Amino acid sequence: MAYEKSRRRPPREDDGTLIEGRNAVLETLRAGRAVDKVFVAEGARIGDVAAEARRHGVPVVTCDRRKLDHMSPTGNHQGVIAQAAAQEYVSLDDIFRVAEQRGEVPLIVVCDGIEDPHNLGAIIRSAETAGAHGVVIPKRRAVGLTAAVARAAAGALAYVGVHKANNLAATLDEMKERGVWLFGAETDGTVGLYEAAFDRPTAIIIGSEGQGLSRLTRDKCDYIVSIPMRGRVNSLNASNAAAVLLFEAVRRRTQAD
């Protein structure tokens, strides 16, 4: 007799960042572990989990149960999965403290809505290799420090801190109050890459993969920097653009020393 092959998806490798089940998620939140999002299946009766997540400022995403089935390493998620961060986040003060300890002018990378984990990981890797003092990401509408981000960063998360901003606009304002100049990256820049004064306290802001800089973020920038293009394609991948701007900042700062 022929038997139909099982359609059940084999369990995924557990990387420790996906926390499954009502009690496990509740205790993770109560323990104060950094959690990026809590995914809740439509119709699941876990209001206590959602309330605890909101109390800690963690976004709650309602989705089809099949999404949780696909995410689940064990297949026993009970209608809720928490996406914990692969690395603890740092404060904005921590980033400025690193610059002060090194005796360097601050160099910070801000990611305005990067959603692809490989792009964010590559940006973090470039930031570390360029000697940046930290990376800032928004809490909402962006990828957090997932296991995929950690893998793409190739070890850089051990050496460069990432701050998750509850309100990116307010964080940009705070950075400006601390004397940091905001350089947004766009194709229609007001200043060319090689004229940008990256030797001063600098935040390089990279927009999302599809939309670029948000309107509010762009309005807060002191300069919009464009990278000269010589080919027929007029834009770079977000992580490639970040690397180009970062190492131009390195060049400018090396000349200034």
Side-chain angles (χ1 to χ4, degrees):
M1 177 183 291
Y3 293 91
E4 182 180 357
K5 292 183 179 179
S6 171
R7 295 182 180 178
R8 184 176 180 180
R9 180 181 55 82
R12 294 176 51 182
E13 181 180 352
D14 186 358
D15 55 29
T17 62
L18 295 179
I19 314 299
E20 302 181 72
R22 175 181 171 276
N23 289 335
V25 172
L26 269 175
E27 293 306 317
T28 297
L29 291 165
R30 288 169 179 167
R33 181 175 175 183
V35 174
D36 289 323
K37 294 178 183 177
V38 172
F39 296 90
V40 176
E42 293 174 348
R45 297 182 178 180
I46 45 176
D48 53 346
V49 174
E52 188 70 21
R54 293 187 178 103
R55 189 170 75 83
H56 289 273
V58 177
V60 176
V61 179
T62 302
C63 56
D64 189 284
R65 182 173 288 268
R66 288 173 294 184
K67 177 179 176 66
L68 298 189
D69 292 340
H70 178 74
M71 292 172 61
S72 173
T74 68
N76 188 30
H77 52 73
Q78 300 175 324
V80 59
I81 296 178
Q83 173 70 69
Q87 184 90 3
E88 291 292 322
Y89 294 101
V90 304
S91 69
L92 197 59
D93 285 338
D94 291 331
I95 291 176
F96 281 94
R97 191 175 298 114
V98 170
E100 183 180 359
Q101 290 171 347
R102 293 182 188 172
E104 297 172 347
V105 174
L107 176 60
I108 303 168
V109 181
V110 179
C111 298
D112 180 22
I114 298 294
E115 297 181 337
D116 183 273
H118 300 95
N119 269 341
L120 180 57
I123 290 170
I124 292 170
R125 185 176 184 179
S126 293
E128 199 286 323
T129 57
H133 303 107
V135 176
V136 176
I137 64 174
K139 174 178 283 189
R140 299 181 184 275
R141 294 181 292 278
V143 67
L145 294 183
T146 65
V149 171
R151 286 193 293 270
L157 277 174
Y159 304 105
V160 63
V162 177
H163 171 65
K164 182 191 277 189
N166 291 329
N167 183 315
L168 185 59
T171 299
L172 293 176
D173 286 339
E174 181 179 350
M175 291 168 67
K176 292 180 81 167
E177 290 172 2
R178 293 184 180 217
V180 174
W181 294 75
L182 306 184
F183 294 83
E186 286 281 17
T187 56
D188 59 341
T190 56
V191 63
L193 173 67
Y194 304 121
E195 288 75 49
F198 290 141
D199 51 343
R200 63 179 68 177
T202 293
I204 293 172
I205 308 176
I206 305 297
S208 67
E209 294 89 346
Q211 303 300 320
L213 297 174
S214 67
R215 181 191 59 79
L216 182 57
T217 296
R218 184 180 176 118
D219 288 346
K220 290 186 179 296
C221 289
D222 298 296
Y223 300 98
I224 302 298
V225 182
S226 61
I227 299 172
M229 298 289 169
R230 295 294 180 262
R232 296 184 180 182
V233 178
N234 67 352
S235 65
L236 290 173
N237 170 280
S239 61
N240 290 337
V244 170
L245 270 71
L246 277 163
F247 281 94
E248 173 58 18
V250 171
R251 186 186 71 84
R252 289 294 297 269
R253 290 166 181 235
T254 301
Q255 288 182 337
D257 289 343

